[in-house]
Amino acid sequence: MMLAAAWKKNDKKASVLIITFSVIVFIAVAGLSRITVRVNLGFDVHLFAKANAIINSCVAVLLIAALAAVKSRKYLLHKNLMLASMVLSILFLVSYIAHHLFAGETKFGGEGVSRTIYLVILFTHIPLAGIILPFILFTAYRAMVGEYPRHKKLAKITWPIWFYVAVTGVVVYWMISPYYV
């Protein structure tokens, strides 16, 4: 049996909030390349990057578990796993902003095939990471208002992109972390 709607449907309000939040996050993240705050936090600021990789790993695992749960018709478990994924993604966003704010940009120092692989992954990861947020929020909204056919249709687009972004975020960390100064 499907879960009852948790929220009252208000598509106009939801659309305005989701688009506004997504635009603000996009602008904030895009602006990070122009701002670096040099302060001594008392620890290596690249710990934020390591935390991001751990968080992304957890999100990827939760997404797989949530997919398995929904395929097994364990809808409450699916909902809880997806909400946990969203909470971790918010934590990731805060940590990501902190890392780039305090550490600045890091240039990849590899050459040859490793550089090509890194750039291909990075150049697919960045735009997909940039567009996935509103998809995640609209997909969650459709579930929370009980519109499960629309939720499922969106989830077929959202889930693989979100999963790819989470996994490639970890790969990007592994590849660039040796070049942190």
Side-chain angles (χ1 to χ4, degrees), residues 15-26 90 93 133 137:
S15 294
V16 168
L17 288 172
I18 289 169
I19 291 167
T20 300
F21 181 71
S22 297
V23 167
I24 289 168
V25 168
F26 183 82
I90 293 167
L93 180 61
L133 178 59
L137 297 176

Side-chain angles (χ1 to χ4, degrees), residues 27-67:
I27 290 170
V29 170
L32 286 174
S33 64
R34 302 183 193 326
I35 302 167
T36 303
V37 177
R38 298 287 180 202
V39 295
N40 183 356
L41 298 177
F43 60 89
D44 180 2
V45 294
H46 296 298
L47 285 176
F48 288 119
K50 183 179 250 180
N52 292 343
I54 293 168
I55 292 167
N56 269 335
S57 297
C58 292
V59 168
V61 169
L62 287 171
L63 289 173
I64 291 169
L67 181 62

Side-chain angles (χ1 to χ4, degrees), residues 12 26-28 34 39 63 71 77 85 97 103 109 116 123 125 144 155 159 162 177:
K12 185 174 182 176
F26 183 82
I27 290 170
R34 302 183 193 326
V39 295
L63 289 173
K71 289 197 178 284
L77 177 60
S85 296
I97 289 171
T116 301
F123 289 143
H125 173 84
M144 297 303 279
W159 190 94
W162 191 2
S177 62

